Amino acid sequence: MTDADKRLLRRTIQIAHEAMEKGNHPFGALLADKNGNILMEQGNEFQAGGSAYHAETLLLLKAAKKYSPEFLKQCTLYSNFEPCCMCTGALYWTNVGCLVYGATEKDLLKFTGDNEENPTFSLSSRDVVAHGQKDIVIEGPTDDDELLEQICKDHIDFWN
């Protein structure tokens, strides 16, 4: 994971925090072009649509309306946590070519437990992509302990 990737992951932490301040779950995502320029940002919108309004899926659906599949193939989705199977499916179907995430789905389960607002899957994004027909690059989780701590900070109290 490059320094540029870590910088963009730090931005997803801010997006997630802003979502939490609005009463939503602390998840954030952004879409960057091949040069690392941020094209779109999206926080979780649980208050607007419940458990299906994940940051990644909302962002990817907006991106699919705005950009061609050929353009999206050269883009990267950044997310503070590993996207669930729904969000990874949205990544697959919108043709985004790369995913970078900070913390794993298993890390998330430590915080959410059996919370009915986020019944976390035990299914990695790599497993979802491996069952498809597209070559999607996946980077994550981060090996930077300080970054991982920042990613998890809002979740420690939120899910209790």
Side-chain angles (χ1 to χ4, degrees), residues 3-111:
D3 287 342
D5 290 335
K6 291 177 183 179
R7 177 182 58 81
L8 291 168
L9 281 176
R10 283 186 182 85
R11 178 62 192 138
T12 68
I13 297 167
Q14 294 169 332
I15 298 165
H17 186 78
E18 292 164 7
M20 185 182 71
E21 287 180 331
K22 295 175 185 172
N24 296 297
H25 300 166
F27 297 101
L30 66 83
L31 183 69
D33 68 15
K34 64 182 177 181
N35 297 315
N37 299 307
I38 297 173
L39 303 172
M40 301 178 124
E41 298 181 339
Q42 180 68 54
N44 177 279
E45 291 190 8
F46 180 82
Q47 294 298 324
S51 294
Y53 273 47
H54 292 195
E56 302 91 342
T57 293
L58 293 173
L59 180 142
L60 291 163
L61 293 175
K62 290 175 185 177
K65 288 182 180 180
K66 186 170 183 176
Y67 302 108
S68 72
E70 295 77 24
F71 178 79
L72 290 172
K73 179 67 178 160
Q74 298 179 29
C75 292
T76 301
L77 174 70
Y78 288 84
S79 181
N80 60 331
F81 273 85
E82 180 176 17
C84 71
C85 56
M86 174 182 71
C87 295
T88 303
L91 174 92
Y92 180 88
W93 289 111
T94 57
N95 209 43
V96 172
C98 185
L99 165 65
V100 176
Y101 65 88
T104 67
E105 186 84 347
K106 288 183 180 180
D107 291 330
L108 179 60
L109 184 58
K110 293 175 194 172
F111 302 115

Side-chain angles (χ1 to χ4, degrees), residues 13 16-17 20 26 150-159:
I13 297 167
H17 186 78
M20 185 182 71
Q150 292 170 3
I151 290 167
C152 295
K153 184 179 180 201
D154 282 336
H155 290 265
I156 291 169
D157 293 329
F158 184 85
W159 296 105

Side-chain angles (χ1 to χ4, degrees), residues 116-127:
E116 65 185 35
E117 289 185 6
N118 195 351
T120 306
F121 277 87
S122 181
L123 182 61
S124 77
S125 56
R126 283 181 175 84
D127 287 342

